[in-house]
Amino acid sequence: MADYDGTNATDLIEGSDEADVISGGNGGDEIYGRKGKDKIDGGNGKDEIRGNWGADEIHGGNGKDLLLGGRHADEIYGNNGSDEINGGLGKDSLYGGRGDDLIMGGRGDDQIDGGKGDDVIYSGLGEDMLSGGKGSDLFVFDEVDDTEPVNVDLGDLGAGGLAAYLAYLASLDEGVIQTKTITDFTSDADSGDKLDVSSLYDGFDDVMWEYSEDAGGVLMQLDVDEYVLLTGVMELVETDFLFI
């Protein structure tokens, strides 16, 4: 293990192949964790931090930071400031903190919490657990395993509807269904959260969704085997969506 301390100036810090403890100090720093399970704190300033290899713990500190996880299961905290966070590969835990953050899960079953502020959250690939936190947040879904959604006529599914269809698909091949979950979606025409599925659907009338009492919320289809569950939500309306 090695300790690295920055200065009040702009520092370039590169960790070792072991588990390092790195503090950027004041100033806009550029920090590379390299290999090992590192603990990195950017401190004050507009920092760029890359965890690289290893299950790292990264804190942006104060400032508008760029925080990149890497290949393993990272914990990333934006803290204060409007940060850009990308988990990369692995089962990451990403926390925006205060500020209007841009958070990208990448590949893996991630947990994302936007915190306070009007955040933009890209789920990416995997069974993610999403929370926007306080503020008017935008949830973007633009990556699926197949090229486009395959709509199923709900009238052909019988009484169980979409929830029954999901259970049927899951029974065919364990793990075939991927469900992302939004735990705190709020619907309001002026100040509520928004869903961006414009890369998958042309407009609101094309979106396939259904309320499921068994699931405890609305199920929205992204692809033939990928869905979003919005817990506690009874219905979706056109003003819940942003199409660009």
Side-chain angles (χ1 to χ4, degrees):
M1 177 184 290
D3 292 347
Y4 300 86
D5 293 317
T7 66
N8 291 330
T10 299
D11 303 304
L12 172 61
I13 303 175
E14 295 189 43
S16 69
D17 291 344
E18 299 181 4
D20 304 311
V21 178
I22 301 174
S23 178
N26 296 321
D29 306 307
E30 189 174 347
I31 301 173
Y32 297 85
R34 297 181 64 182
K35 294 182 179 179
K37 188 176 181 180
D38 306 310
K39 186 172 183 179
I40 304 173
D41 190 334
N44 296 322
K46 186 178 180 180
D47 306 306
E48 180 178 331
I49 303 175
R50 299 173 183 268
N52 301 129
W53 294 273
D56 305 308
E57 180 181 331
I58 299 173
H59 296 259
N62 296 319
K64 186 177 181 180
D65 306 307
L66 173 61
L67 311 174
L68 307 175
R71 294 179 173 271
H72 294 87
D74 305 302
E75 289 186 29
I76 303 180
Y77 301 84
N79 302 126
N80 296 321
S82 297
D83 307 302
E84 181 177 336
I85 301 172
N86 192 324
L89 304 178
K91 189 176 181 179
D92 305 307
S93 298
L94 311 176
Y95 305 94
R98 293 178 179 268
D100 301 336
D101 305 305
L102 171 61
I103 306 177
M104 293 167 281
R107 290 180 177 267
D109 299 340
D110 305 310
Q111 177 177 320
I112 301 177
D113 187 333
K116 292 185 177 180
D118 299 338
D119 307 305
V120 178
I121 298 175
Y122 284 78
S123 175
L125 299 176
E127 294 196 317
D128 302 318
M129 187 70 66
L130 310 174
S131 171
K134 292 185 178 180
S136 300
D137 306 303
L138 175 63
F139 297 89
V140 183
F141 301 96
D142 64 352
E143 287 189 87
V144 294
D145 288 338
D146 295 315
T147 56
E148 62 182 22
V150 179
N151 287 324
V152 177
D153 187 348
L154 296 178
D156 294 338
L157 297 179
L162 184 54
Y165 177 62
L166 286 175
Y168 167 70
L169 289 179
S171 71
L172 297 180
D173 182 6
E174 184 177 357
V176 69
I177 300 298
Q178 286 196 353
T179 304
K180 309 169 189 297
T181 303
I182 301 177
T183 61
D184 64 346
F185 187 84
T186 58
S187 177
D188 185 279
D190 297 321
S191 61
D193 300 324
K194 302 291 182 183
L195 301 165
D196 182 353
V197 291
S198 54
S199 67
L200 305 174
Y201 290 104
D202 292 331
F204 175 69
D205 291 339
D206 298 321
V207 178
M208 181 182 173
W209 66 271
E210 181 186 84
Y211 173 72
S212 169
E213 185 175 353
D214 291 337
V218 163
L219 286 164
M220 179 179 67
Q221 185 184 34
L222 300 179
D223 192 67
V224 65
D225 57 359
E226 294 186 53
Y227 296 82
V228 177
L229 170 63
L230 296 91
T231 61
V233 176
M234 300 289 291
E235 66 174 349
L236 294 176
V237 296
E238 189 168 2
T239 53
D240 292 331
F241 290 85
L242 176 66
F243 289 97
I244 56 176

